[in-house]
Amino acid sequence: MAFFFVQMADPQFGMFAFFSTLTDEEVEERWRRRLFVRKAPEIITGFADESRLYTLAIEASNRLKPAFVAMCGDMVNDPKDQNQLDELFRITAMLQDDIPIHWVSGNHDVGDAPTTESLALYRERFGPDNFSFDHDGCHFAVINSSVCYNPENVPDEWESIVQFLKDDLSTARANGCEDIILFTHHPLFLERADEGDGYFVIPRDRRKVILDILHEHDVSSVFAGHWHRNNYAEDGKLQMVVTGAVGYPLGDDPSGLRVVKVRGDGVTHKYYAMDDLPDSIAL
Ligand SMILES: [Fe+2]
């Protein structure tokens, strides 16, 4: 087992334009929520920045030839804006056919409190939101973390995520997989597994349910997005990795993507800025 994949998050077509319209007060309000928005020098429209950045990410993937691309959510800023979706899919279509892309649902794709309708629309556009796949002895699971964040409109969906994870991970272990990795949009936590609730993490009660299942099946790593900046934390042997945005960055980490190496001796990874992408990856 020795391969690498590319993890991306938050290309979020339309976010540069949306944030360029914020007033000083609205920028300040976001900083209070740890959303480190910068006041734009002028109002912009469209999504030229997102197109440029996502194109660089797709071109790098074609050059590096990863086993697959995992896109950890917030594909567009406004799921009702067909232009944003069209541009996302236009650029995605440039990814070579032999490199699969696995979509992970983000809160901008299904809503901060998903509904039956928002989930149905997402599944129509992107396929299932809870699923798993294997590559070269390693098992990968994907869950809809916006449901985990707030399942009040779709309580059955939360129950089915819990059941899916339990069943899927035990089957993977029974089949002798060498490692298990989980993809989400929301981080489970940012510093400690028992930290308090907040906008950027899955609330503590449901976080514990998920973490207990992950530990029971020896999941090594969780890769997420949502914060638009990098972050690294651990809970025992589990590493919780948050990856900066393909699109609009919040904080000091530039727009970029992460290369993750999976080998018999563990899972290692490195974040690359879009203006410093590698030509090749040595395992
Ligand atoms: Fe986002």
Side-chain angles (χ1 to χ4, degrees), residues 52-141:
R52 179 180 61 80
L53 292 161
Y54 188 40
T55 300
L56 287 170
I58 292 294
E59 285 173 352
S61 302
N62 287 339
R63 188 166 68 242
L64 299 174
K65 304 202 181 308
F68 59 84
V69 172
M71 172 60 83
C72 285
D74 282 2
M75 281 64 96
V76 294
N77 196 58
D78 177 2
K80 293 190 290 298
D81 187 327
Q82 191 59 45
N83 290 331
Q84 295 178 5
L85 287 156
D86 288 348
E87 183 67 348
L88 169 85
F89 288 124
R90 181 188 71 81
I91 297 170
T92 304
M94 297 194 289
L95 185 64
Q96 287 166 8
D97 288 345
D98 57 347
I99 305 173
I101 183 164
H102 300 288
W103 302 107
V104 182
S105 60
N107 58 302
H108 277 265
D109 308 306
V110 296
D112 280 317
T115 61
T116 310
E117 295 74 29
S118 73
L119 292 176
L121 193 56
Y122 175 86
R123 290 165 183 163
E124 205 175 288
R125 288 169 171 161
F126 294 99
D129 47 343
N130 303 299
F131 62 99
S132 65
F133 60 96
D134 293 279
H135 186 86
D136 197 11
C138 186
H139 188 73
F140 299 88

Coordinates of all heavy atoms in Angstrom, one line a residue, residues 52-141:
R52 N -10.0 30.9 -11.5 CA -8.6 30.8 -11.7 C -8.0 29.8 -10.7 O -7.2 28.9 -11.0 CB -8.0 32.2 -11.4 CG -6.5 32.3 -11.5 CD -6.0 33.7 -11.3 NE -6.3 34.2 -9.9 CZ -5.6 33.9 -8.8 NH1 -4.6 33.1 -8.9 NH2 -6.0 34.4 -7.7
L53 N -8.4 29.9 -9.4 CA -7.8 29.0 -8.4 C -8.2 27.6 -8.6 O -7.4 26.7 -8.5 CB -8.3 29.5 -7.0 CG -7.7 30.9 -6.6 CD1 -8.6 31.5 -5.5 CD2 -6.3 30.7 -6.1
Y54 N -9.5 27.3 -8.9 CA -9.9 25.9 -9.1 C -9.3 25.3 -10.3 O -8.9 24.1 -10.3 CB -11.4 25.8 -9.1 CG -12.0 24.4 -9.1 CD1 -11.5 23.4 -8.3 CD2 -13.1 24.1 -9.9 CE1 -12.0 22.2 -8.3 CE2 -13.7 22.8 -9.9 CZ -13.1 21.9 -9.0 OH -13.6 20.6 -9.0
T55 N -9.1 26.1 -11.3 CA -8.4 25.6 -12.5 C -7.0 25.2 -12.2 O -6.5 24.1 -12.7 CB -8.4 26.7 -13.7 OG1 -9.8 27.0 -14.0 CG2 -7.7 26.2 -14.9
L56 N -6.3 26.0 -11.4 CA -4.9 25.6 -11.0 C -4.9 24.3 -10.2 O -4.1 23.5 -10.4 CB -4.3 26.7 -10.1 CG -3.9 28.0 -10.8 CD1 -3.5 29.1 -9.8 CD2 -2.7 27.8 -11.7
A57 N -6.0 24.1 -9.4 CA -6.0 22.9 -8.6 C -6.3 21.7 -9.5 O -5.7 20.6 -9.3 CB -7.1 23.0 -7.5
I58 N -7.2 21.8 -10.5 CA -7.5 20.7 -11.4 C -6.3 20.4 -12.3 O -5.9 19.3 -12.5 CB -8.7 21.0 -12.2 CG1 -10.0 21.1 -11.3 CG2 -8.9 20.0 -13.3 CD1 -10.3 19.7 -10.6
E59 N -5.6 21.5 -12.8 CA -4.4 21.3 -13.6 C -3.3 20.6 -12.8 O -2.6 19.7 -13.3 CB -3.9 22.6 -14.1 CG -4.8 23.2 -15.2 CD -4.3 24.6 -15.6 OE1 -3.5 25.2 -15.0 OE2 -4.9 25.1 -16.6
A60 N -3.1 20.9 -11.5 CA -2.1 20.3 -10.7 C -2.5 18.8 -10.5 O -1.6 17.9 -10.6 CB -2.0 21.0 -9.3
S61 N -3.8 18.5 -10.3 CA -4.2 17.1 -10.1 C -3.9 16.3 -11.4 O -3.4 15.2 -11.3 CB -5.7 17.1 -9.8 OG -5.9 17.8 -8.6
N62 N -4.1 16.9 -12.6 CA -3.8 16.2 -13.8 C -2.3 15.9 -14.0 O -1.9 14.9 -14.5 CB -4.3 17.0 -15.0 CG -5.8 17.0 -15.1 OD1 -6.5 16.1 -14.6 ND2 -6.4 18.0 -15.8
R63 N -1.5 16.8 -13.5 CA -0.1 16.7 -13.6 C 0.4 15.7 -12.6 O 1.3 14.8 -12.9 CB 0.5 18.1 -13.3 CG 2.0 18.2 -13.5 CD 2.4 19.7 -13.5 NE 2.3 20.4 -12.2 CZ 1.4 21.4 -12.0 NH1 0.7 21.9 -12.9 NH2 1.4 21.9 -10.7
L64 N -0.1 15.7 -11.3 CA 0.4 14.8 -10.3 C -0.1 13.4 -10.3 O 0.5 12.5 -9.8 CB 0.0 15.4 -8.9 CG 0.6 16.8 -8.6 CD1 0.0 17.4 -7.3 CD2 2.1 16.8 -8.6
K65 N -1.3 13.2 -11.0 CA -1.9 11.9 -11.1 C -2.1 11.2 -9.7 O -1.6 10.1 -9.5 CB -1.1 11.0 -12.0 CG -0.9 11.7 -13.4 CD -0.7 10.7 -14.5 CE -0.4 11.4 -15.8 NZ -1.5 12.3 -16.2
P66 N -2.9 11.8 -8.9 CA -3.3 11.2 -7.6 C -4.2 10.0 -7.8 O -4.8 9.9 -8.9 CB -4.0 12.3 -6.8 CG -4.6 13.1 -7.9 CD -3.7 13.1 -9.1
A67 N -4.3 9.1 -6.8 CA -5.3 8.0 -6.9 C -6.7 8.6 -7.1 O -7.5 8.0 -7.8 CB -5.2 7.2 -5.6
F68 N -7.0 9.7 -6.4 CA -8.3 10.3 -6.6 C -8.2 11.7 -6.0 O -7.2 12.1 -5.3 CB -9.4 9.5 -5.9 CG -9.2 9.3 -4.4 CD1 -9.6 10.3 -3.5 CD2 -8.6 8.1 -3.9 CE1 -9.4 10.1 -2.1 CE2 -8.4 7.9 -2.6 CZ -8.8 8.9 -1.7
V69 N -9.3 12.5 -6.2 CA -9.4 13.8 -5.5 C -10.6 13.7 -4.6 O -11.7 13.2 -4.9 CB -9.7 14.9 -6.6 CG1 -10.1 16.2 -5.9 CG2 -8.5 15.1 -7.5
A70 N -10.4 14.2 -3.3 CA -11.5 14.3 -2.4 C -11.8 15.8 -2.2 O -11.0 16.5 -1.8 CB -11.2 13.7 -1.1
M71 N -13.0 16.1 -2.6 CA -13.5 17.6 -2.5 C -14.4 17.7 -1.3 O -15.5 17.3 -1.3 CB -14.2 18.0 -3.8 CG -14.8 19.3 -3.7 SD -13.6 20.6 -3.4 CE -13.0 20.9 -5.0
C72 N -13.8 18.3 -0.2 CA -14.5 18.3 1.1 C -15.5 19.5 1.3 O -15.5 20.1 2.4 CB -13.5 18.3 2.2 SG -12.7 16.6 2.4
G73 N -16.3 19.7 0.3 CA -17.5 20.6 0.6 C -17.4 22.0 0.3 O -16.3 22.6 0.0
D74 N -18.6 22.7 0.3 CA -18.8 24.1 -0.1 C -18.2 24.2 -1.6 O -17.3 25.1 -1.8 CB -18.1 25.0 0.8 CG -18.9 25.3 2.1 OD1 -20.0 24.6 2.2 OD2 -18.5 26.1 2.9
M75 N -18.8 23.5 -2.5 CA -18.4 23.6 -3.9 C -18.9 25.0 -4.4 O -18.1 25.6 -5.2 CB -19.1 22.5 -4.7 CG -18.4 21.2 -4.6 SD -18.4 20.4 -3.0 CE -19.9 19.3 -3.1
V76 N -20.0 25.5 -4.0 CA -20.5 26.8 -4.4 C -20.9 27.6 -3.1 O -21.2 27.0 -2.1 CB -21.7 26.7 -5.4 CG1 -21.2 26.1 -6.7 CG2 -22.8 26.0 -4.8
N77 N -21.0 28.9 -3.3 CA -21.4 29.8 -2.2 C -22.9 29.7 -2.0 O -23.5 29.7 -0.9 CB -20.9 31.2 -2.4 CG -21.0 32.0 -1.1 OD1 -20.4 31.6 -0.1 ND2 -21.7 33.1 -1.1
D78 N -23.6 29.7 -3.2 CA -25.1 29.8 -3.2 C -25.6 28.6 -4.1 O -25.6 28.7 -5.3 CB -25.5 31.1 -3.7 CG -27.1 31.2 -3.8 OD1 -27.8 30.3 -3.4 OD2 -27.5 32.3 -4.3
P79 N -26.2 27.6 -3.4 CA -26.6 26.4 -4.2 C -27.8 26.8 -5.1 O -28.2 25.9 -6.0 CB -27.0 25.4 -3.2 CG -27.3 26.2 -1.9 CD -26.4 27.4 -2.0
K80 N -28.4 27.9 -5.0 CA -29.5 28.3 -5.9 C -29.0 29.0 -7.1 O -29.7 29.4 -8.0 CB -30.5 29.2 -5.1 CG -31.2 28.5 -4.0 CD -32.4 29.4 -3.4 CE -31.9 30.6 -2.7 NZ -31.1 30.3 -1.5
D81 N -27.7 29.3 -7.2 CA -27.1 30.0 -8.3 C -26.5 29.0 -9.3 O -25.5 28.5 -9.2 CB -26.0 31.0 -7.8 CG -25.5 31.9 -8.9 OD1 -25.4 31.5 -10.1 OD2 -25.1 33.0 -8.5
Q82 N -27.3 28.9 -10.4 CA -26.9 27.9 -11.4 C -25.6 28.2 -12.1 O -24.9 27.4 -12.5 CB -28.1 27.7 -12.5 CG -27.9 26.6 -13.4 CD -27.8 25.2 -12.7 OE1 -28.6 24.9 -11.8 NE2 -26.9 24.3 -13.1
N83 N -25.3 29.6 -12.2 CA -24.1 30.0 -12.9 C -22.9 29.5 -12.1 O -21.8 29.0 -12.6 CB -24.0 31.5 -13.0 CG -25.0 32.0 -14.0 OD1 -25.3 31.3 -14.9 ND2 -25.4 33.2 -13.7
Q84 N -23.0 29.5 -10.7 CA -21.9 29.0 -9.9 C -21.7 27.5 -10.1 O -20.6 27.0 -10.2 CB -22.1 29.3 -8.4 CG -22.2 30.8 -8.1 CD -22.5 31.1 -6.6 OE1 -22.6 30.2 -5.8 NE2 -22.7 32.4 -6.3
L85 N -22.8 26.8 -10.1 CA -22.7 25.3 -10.3 C -22.2 25.0 -11.7 O -21.3 24.1 -11.8 CB -24.1 24.7 -10.2 CG -24.6 24.7 -8.7 CD1 -26.1 24.6 -8.7 CD2 -24.0 23.5 -8.0
D86 N -22.6 25.7 -12.7 CA -22.1 25.5 -14.1 C -20.6 25.6 -14.2 O -19.9 24.9 -14.8 CB -22.8 26.4 -15.1 CG -24.3 26.0 -15.3 OD1 -24.7 24.9 -14.9 OD2 -25.0 26.8 -15.9
E87 N -20.1 26.7 -13.5 CA -18.7 27.0 -13.6 C -17.9 25.9 -12.8 O -16.9 25.4 -13.3 CB -18.4 28.4 -13.0 CG -16.9 28.8 -13.1 CD -16.4 29.0 -14.5 OE1 -17.1 28.6 -15.5 OE2 -15.3 29.5 -14.6
L88 N -18.4 25.5 -11.7 CA -17.8 24.4 -10.9 C -17.7 23.1 -11.8 O -16.6 22.5 -11.9 CB -18.6 24.1 -9.7 CG -18.2 22.8 -9.0 CD1 -17.1 23.1 -8.0 CD2 -19.4 22.1 -8.2
F89 N -18.8 22.8 -12.5 CA -18.8 21.5 -13.3 C -18.0 21.7 -14.6 O -17.4 20.7 -15.1 CB -20.2 21.1 -13.5 CG -20.9 20.5 -12.3 CD1 -22.1 21.0 -11.8 CD2 -20.3 19.4 -11.6 CE1 -22.7 20.5 -10.7 CE2 -20.9 18.9 -10.5 CZ -22.1 19.4 -10.0
R90 N -17.9 22.9 -15.1 CA -17.1 23.1 -16.3 C -15.7 22.9 -16.0 O -15.0 22.2 -16.8 CB -17.3 24.6 -16.8 CG -16.5 24.9 -18.1 CD -16.5 26.4 -18.5 NE -15.7 27.2 -17.6 CZ -14.4 27.4 -17.6 NH1 -13.7 26.7 -18.5 NH2 -13.8 28.2 -16.7
I91 N -15.2 23.4 -14.9 CA -13.8 23.2 -14.6 C -13.5 21.8 -14.1 O -12.5 21.2 -14.5 CB -13.3 24.3 -13.6 CG1 -13.5 25.7 -14.2 CG2 -11.9 24.0 -13.1 CD1 -13.3 26.8 -13.2
T92 N -14.4 21.2 -13.4 CA -14.2 19.8 -12.9 C -14.1 18.9 -14.1 O -13.4 17.9 -14.0 CB -15.4 19.4 -12.0 OG1 -15.6 20.3 -10.9 CG2 -15.2 18.0 -11.5
A93 N -14.8 19.2 -15.2 CA -14.8 18.3 -16.4 C -13.4 18.3 -17.0 O -13.1 17.4 -17.8 CB -15.8 18.8 -17.4
M94 N -12.5 19.2 -16.6 CA -11.1 19.2 -17.1 C -10.3 18.2 -16.4 O -9.1 17.9 -16.8 CB -10.5 20.6 -17.0 CG -11.2 21.6 -17.9 SD -10.3 23.1 -18.1 CE -10.4 23.8 -16.5
L95 N -10.8 17.6 -15.3 CA -10.0 16.6 -14.6 C -10.0 15.3 -15.4 O -11.0 14.9 -16.0 CB -10.7 16.3 -13.2 CG -10.0 15.3 -12.3 CD1 -8.6 15.9 -11.8 CD2 -10.9 15.0 -11.1
Q96 N -8.8 14.7 -15.6 CA -8.7 13.6 -16.4 C -9.6 12.4 -16.0 O -9.8 12.2 -14.8 CB -7.2 13.1 -16.4 CG -6.3 14.0 -17.2 CD -4.8 13.7 -17.0 OE1 -4.5 12.7 -16.3 NE2 -4.0 14.6 -17.5
D97 N -10.1 11.7 -17.0 CA -11.2 10.7 -16.7 C -10.7 9.6 -15.8 O -11.5 9.0 -15.1 CB -11.6 10.0 -18.0 CG -12.4 11.0 -18.9 OD1 -12.9 12.0 -18.3 OD2 -12.6 10.7 -20.1
D98 N -9.4 9.3 -15.7 CA -8.9 8.2 -14.9 C -8.6 8.7 -13.4 O -8.1 8.0 -12.6 CB -7.7 7.6 -15.5 CG -6.6 8.6 -15.7 OD1 -6.8 9.8 -15.7 OD2 -5.4 8.1 -16.0
I99 N -9.0 10.0 -13.1 CA -8.8 10.4 -11.7 C -10.2 10.7 -11.2 O -10.9 11.7 -11.5 CB -8.0 11.7 -11.7 CG1 -6.6 11.5 -12.3 CG2 -7.8 12.2 -10.2 CD1 -5.8 12.8 -12.5
P100 N -10.7 9.8 -10.3 CA -12.1 10.0 -9.8 C -12.1 11.2 -8.8 O -11.1 11.5 -8.2 CB -12.3 8.7 -9.0 CG -11.2 7.8 -9.3 CD -10.1 8.5 -9.8
I101 N -13.2 11.9 -8.8 CA -13.4 12.9 -7.7 C -14.6 12.5 -6.8 O -15.6 12.1 -7.3 CB -13.6 14.3 -8.4 CG1 -13.8 15.4 -7.3 CG2 -14.9 14.4 -9.3 CD1 -13.6 16.8 -7.8
H102 N -14.3 12.6 -5.5 CA -15.4 12.2 -4.6 C -15.8 13.5 -3.9 O -15.1 14.1 -3.2 CB -14.8 11.2 -3.5 CG -14.3 9.9 -4.1 ND1 -15.1 9.0 -4.6 CD2 -13.0 9.5 -4.4 CE1 -14.4 8.0 -5.1 NE2 -13.1 8.3 -5.0
W103 N -17.1 13.7 -4.0 CA -17.7 15.0 -3.5 C -18.2 14.7 -2.0 O -18.8 13.7 -1.7 CB -19.0 15.4 -4.3 CG -18.8 15.6 -5.7 CD1 -19.1 14.8 -6.8 CD2 -18.1 16.8 -6.3 NE1 -18.8 15.4 -7.9 CE2 -18.2 16.6 -7.7 CE3 -17.5 17.9 -5.8 CZ2 -17.7 17.5 -8.6 CZ3 -17.0 18.8 -6.7 CH2 -17.1 18.6 -8.1
V104 N -17.9 15.7 -1.2 CA -18.3 15.7 0.2 C -19.2 16.9 0.4 O -18.8 18.0 0.0 CB -17.1 15.8 1.2 CG1 -17.5 15.7 2.6 CG2 -16.1 14.7 0.8
S105 N -20.4 16.7 1.0 CA -21.3 17.9 1.1 C -20.9 18.9 2.1 O -20.5 18.5 3.2 CB -22.7 17.4 1.4 OG -22.7 16.7 2.6
G106 N -21.0 20.2 1.8 CA -20.7 21.3 2.7 C -22.0 22.0 3.1 O -23.0 21.8 2.5
N107 N -21.8 22.9 4.1 CA -23.0 23.6 4.6 C -23.6 24.5 3.6 O -24.8 24.8 3.5 CB -22.7 24.3 5.9 CG -21.6 25.3 5.8 OD1 -20.5 24.9 5.4 ND2 -21.9 26.6 6.1
H108 N -22.7 25.0 2.7 CA -23.2 25.9 1.6 C -23.9 25.1 0.5 O -24.7 25.7 -0.3 CB -22.1 26.7 1.0 CG -21.8 28.0 1.8 ND1 -22.3 29.2 1.6 CD2 -21.0 28.1 2.9 CE1 -21.9 30.1 2.5 NE2 -21.1 29.4 3.3
D109 N -23.7 23.8 0.5 CA -24.3 23.0 -0.6 C -25.7 22.4 -0.1 O -26.6 22.3 -0.9 CB -23.4 21.8 -0.9 CG -22.0 22.2 -1.3 OD1 -21.9 23.1 -2.2 OD2 -21.0 21.7 -0.6
V110 N -25.8 22.2 1.2 CA -27.1 21.6 1.7 C -27.7 22.5 2.8 O -28.8 22.1 3.3 CB -26.8 20.2 2.3 CG1 -26.4 19.2 1.2 CG2 -25.8 20.2 3.5
G111 N -27.1 23.6 3.2 CA -27.7 24.4 4.3 C -27.1 24.1 5.6 O -26.7 23.0 5.9
D112 N -27.1 25.2 6.5 CA -26.6 25.0 7.9 C -27.5 24.0 8.7 O -27.1 23.4 9.6 CB -26.5 26.3 8.6 CG -25.3 27.1 8.2 OD1 -24.2 26.5 8.1 OD2 -25.4 28.3 7.9
A113 N -28.8 24.0 8.3 CA -29.7 23.0 8.9 C -30.4 22.3 7.7 O -31.4 22.7 7.2 CB -30.7 23.7 9.8
P114 N -29.8 21.2 7.2 CA -30.3 20.6 6.0 C -31.8 20.2 6.1 O -32.2 19.9 7.2 CB -29.4 19.4 5.8 CG -28.2 19.7 6.6 CD -28.6 20.6 7.7
T115 N -32.5 20.2 5.0 CA -33.9 19.8 4.9 C -34.0 18.6 3.9 O -33.0 18.4 3.2 CB -34.8 20.9 4.4 OG1 -34.3 21.3 3.1 CG2 -34.7 22.2 5.3
T116 N -35.1 18.0 3.9 CA -35.4 16.9 3.0 C -35.1 17.4 1.5 O -34.5 16.7 0.7 CB -36.8 16.4 3.1 OG1 -37.1 16.1 4.5 CG2 -37.1 15.2 2.3
E117 N -35.6 18.7 1.3 CA -35.5 19.2 -0.1 C -34.0 19.5 -0.4 O -33.6 19.2 -1.5 CB -36.3 20.5 -0.2 CG -37.8 20.4 0.0 CD -38.3 20.1 1.4 OE1 -37.6 20.5 2.3 OE2 -39.3 19.4 1.6
S118 N -33.3 20.1 0.5 CA -31.9 20.5 0.2 C -31.0 19.3 0.0 O -30.1 19.2 -0.8 CB -31.3 21.4 1.3 OG -31.0 20.7 2.5
L119 N -31.4 18.2 0.8 CA -30.6 17.0 0.6 C -30.9 16.3 -0.8 O -30.1 15.8 -1.4 CB -30.9 16.0 1.7 CG -30.4 16.5 3.1 CD1 -30.8 15.5 4.2 CD2 -28.8 16.6 3.1
A120 N -32.2 16.3 -1.1 CA -32.6 15.7 -2.4 C -31.9 16.4 -3.6 O -31.4 15.8 -4.5 CB -34.1 15.8 -2.5
L121 N -31.9 17.8 -3.5 CA -31.3 18.6 -4.6 C -29.8 18.3 -4.6 O -29.2 18.1 -5.7 CB -31.5 20.1 -4.3 CG -31.2 21.0 -5.4 CD1 -31.9 20.7 -6.7 CD2 -31.5 22.5 -5.0
Y122 N -29.1 18.2 -3.5 CA -27.7 17.9 -3.4 C -27.4 16.5 -4.1 O -26.5 16.3 -4.9 CB -27.2 17.9 -2.0 CG -25.7 17.4 -1.9 CD1 -24.7 18.3 -2.1 CD2 -25.4 16.1 -1.8 CE1 -23.4 17.9 -2.1 CE2 -24.1 15.7 -1.8 CZ -23.1 16.6 -2.0 OH -21.8 16.2 -2.0
R123 N -28.2 15.5 -3.7 CA -28.0 14.1 -4.2 C -28.2 14.0 -5.7 O -27.6 13.3 -6.4 CB -28.9 13.2 -3.4 CG -28.5 13.0 -2.0 CD -29.5 12.4 -1.1 NE -29.0 12.3 0.3 CZ -29.8 12.1 1.4 NH1 -31.1 11.9 1.2 NH2 -29.3 12.1 2.6
E124 N -29.2 14.9 -6.2 CA -29.4 14.9 -7.6 C -28.2 15.5 -8.4 O -27.8 15.0 -9.4 CB -30.6 15.9 -7.9 CG -31.4 15.7 -9.1 CD -32.5 16.7 -9.1 OE1 -33.5 16.4 -8.3 OE2 -32.5 17.7 -9.8
R125 N -27.5 16.4 -7.7 CA -26.4 17.1 -8.4 C -25.1 16.4 -8.2 O -24.2 16.3 -9.1 CB -26.2 18.5 -7.8 CG -27.3 19.5 -8.2 CD -27.2 20.7 -7.4 NE -28.0 21.8 -7.9 CZ -28.4 22.8 -7.2 NH1 -28.0 23.0 -5.9 NH2 -29.2 23.7 -7.7
F126 N -24.9 15.9 -7.0 CA -23.5 15.3 -6.7 C -23.5 13.8 -6.3 O -22.4 13.3 -6.1 CB -22.9 16.1 -5.5 CG -22.7 17.6 -5.8 CD1 -23.6 18.5 -5.4 CD2 -21.5 17.9 -6.4 CE1 -23.3 19.9 -5.7 CE2 -21.2 19.3 -6.7 CZ -22.1 20.2 -6.3
G127 N -24.7 13.2 -6.2 CA -24.7 11.8 -5.8 C -24.9 11.7 -4.3 O -25.2 12.6 -3.7
P128 N -24.6 10.5 -3.8 CA -24.8 10.3 -2.4 C -23.9 11.1 -1.5 O -22.8 11.5 -1.9 CB -24.5 8.8 -2.2 CG -23.7 8.4 -3.4 CD -24.1 9.3 -4.5
D129 N -24.5 11.5 -0.3 CA -23.7 12.3 0.7 C -23.1 11.4 1.8 O -22.2 11.9 2.5 CB -24.6 13.4 1.3 CG -25.9 12.9 1.7 OD1 -26.3 11.8 1.3 OD2 -26.6 13.7 2.5
N130 N -23.5 10.2 1.9 CA -22.9 9.3 2.9 C -22.5 8.0 2.1 O -23.4 7.3 1.6 CB -23.9 8.9 4.0 CG -24.3 10.2 4.7 OD1 -23.5 10.9 5.3 ND2 -25.6 10.4 4.7
F131 N -21.3 7.7 2.0 CA -20.8 6.6 1.1 C -19.4 6.2 1.5 O -18.8 6.9 2.3 CB -21.0 6.9 -0.4 CG -20.1 8.1 -0.8 CD1 -18.9 7.8 -1.5 CD2 -20.5 9.4 -0.7 CE1 -18.1 8.8 -1.9 CE2 -19.7 10.4 -1.1 CZ -18.5 10.2 -1.7
S132 N -18.9 5.2 0.9 CA -17.5 4.8 1.1 C -16.9 4.2 -0.1 O -17.6 3.9 -1.1 CB -17.4 3.8 2.3 OG -18.1 2.6 2.0
F133 N -15.6 4.1 -0.1 CA -14.9 3.5 -1.3 C -13.6 3.0 -0.8 O -13.2 3.3 0.4 CB -14.8 4.5 -2.4 CG -14.0 5.8 -2.1 CD1 -12.6 5.9 -2.4 CD2 -14.6 6.8 -1.5 CE1 -11.9 7.0 -2.0 CE2 -13.9 8.0 -1.2 CZ -12.6 8.1 -1.5
D134 N -12.9 2.2 -1.6 CA -11.6 1.6 -1.2 C -10.6 1.9 -2.2 O -10.9 2.1 -3.4 CB -11.8 0.1 -1.1 CG -12.7 -0.3 0.1 OD1 -12.2 -0.3 1.2 OD2 -13.9 -0.6 -0.2
H135 N -9.4 2.0 -1.8 CA -8.3 2.1 -2.7 C -7.0 1.4 -2.1 O -6.6 1.8 -1.1 CB -7.9 3.6 -3.1 CG -6.9 3.7 -4.1 ND1 -7.2 3.7 -5.5 CD2 -5.5 3.7 -4.1 CE1 -6.1 3.7 -6.2 NE2 -5.1 3.8 -5.4
D136 N -6.6 0.4 -2.8 CA -5.3 -0.2 -2.5 C -5.2 -0.6 -1.0 O -4.2 -0.3 -0.4 CB -4.1 0.7 -2.9 CG -2.8 0.0 -3.0 OD1 -2.8 -1.3 -2.9 OD2 -1.8 0.6 -3.1
G137 N -6.2 -1.3 -0.5 CA -6.2 -1.7 0.9 C -6.6 -0.7 1.9 O -6.6 -1.0 3.1
C138 N -6.9 0.5 1.5 CA -7.3 1.5 2.4 C -8.8 1.8 2.2 O -9.3 1.8 1.1 CB -6.5 2.8 2.2 SG -6.8 4.1 3.5
H139 N -9.5 2.0 3.3 CA -11.0 2.3 3.2 C -11.2 3.8 3.5 O -10.6 4.4 4.4 CB -11.7 1.4 4.3 CG -13.2 1.5 4.1 ND1 -13.9 0.9 3.1 CD2 -14.1 2.2 4.9 CE1 -15.2 1.2 3.2 NE2 -15.3 1.9 4.3
F140 N -12.1 4.4 2.7 CA -12.5 5.8 2.9 C -14.0 5.9 3.1 O -14.7 5.4 2.3 CB -12.0 6.6 1.6 CG -10.5 6.5 1.4 CD1 -10.0 5.5 0.6 CD2 -9.7 7.5 1.9 CE1 -8.6 5.5 0.4 CE2 -8.3 7.5 1.7 CZ -7.8 6.4 0.9
A141 N -14.4 6.7 4.1 CA -15.8 6.9 4.3 C -16.0 8.4 4.2 O -15.2 9.2 4.6 CB -16.2 6.4 5.7

